[in-house]
Amino acid sequence: MAVIARPAGTGTYAGRFPRKFVIAPLVVLAALCALGIGVNAAISDRALPRVTVGGVDVGGATLAEIRDRLDREATRPWATARVAVVAADGTTWTTTNGALALAPDLERAVSDALAYGHSGSVAQRLLAWAEVLRADPAVPLAMRSTGTAIDGWVNTIARDID
């Protein structure tokens, strides 16, 4: 009878962690990273999917498409929207956003929509993508005021009240 002697702890798996438990998760992680980088590169010139700006869906749109959608669905209706101030005695002053020179800042809104999920730290980008998967992320519609129309309207109201 033959006896093979080995030192203790040198069997097939003794003292060794199976490589498949390390390699498999690393391969999956590498594949997910490659997928994320590929998707990010593929839509680098577009807004992330499901993104809205001021309630207007711009998800997946290019710069020109975002500008067109916002102009058509936000800027034009905004100019004709009525603004009203009602005093305690019932006196009412009304005007439109267009008359007050209030308007959406289209250029800033477009750049904010394109920057969402494409700028910032890696953590900020991952959070933006997580928000896209969880819900419809909303980018606020930036506003601007030009001229002194608001000051004039407020002065008129102040003069009428006094």
Side-chain angles (χ1 to χ4, degrees), residues 18-98:
R19 279 187 250 176
K20 66 181 177 185
F21 293 123
V22 174
I23 293 174
L26 289 177
V27 168
V28 170
L29 183 62
L32 288 175
C33 287
L35 178 68
I37 290 169
V39 168
N40 193 39
I43 64 166
S44 64
D45 63 337
R46 297 178 170 273
L48 292 186
R50 301 176 65 181
V51 170
T52 62
V53 177
V56 178
D57 179 23
V58 297
T62 63
L63 185 136
E65 293 168 340
I66 294 171
R67 184 177 287 117
D68 180 55
R69 286 182 198 174
L70 290 178
D71 184 47
R72 188 177 61 248
E73 298 178 35
T75 304
R76 291 180 195 160
W78 179 265
T80 59
R82 309 274 308 152
V83 177
V85 173
V86 180
D89 65 357
T91 306
T92 304
W93 297 267
T94 60
T95 188
T96 64
N97 288 325

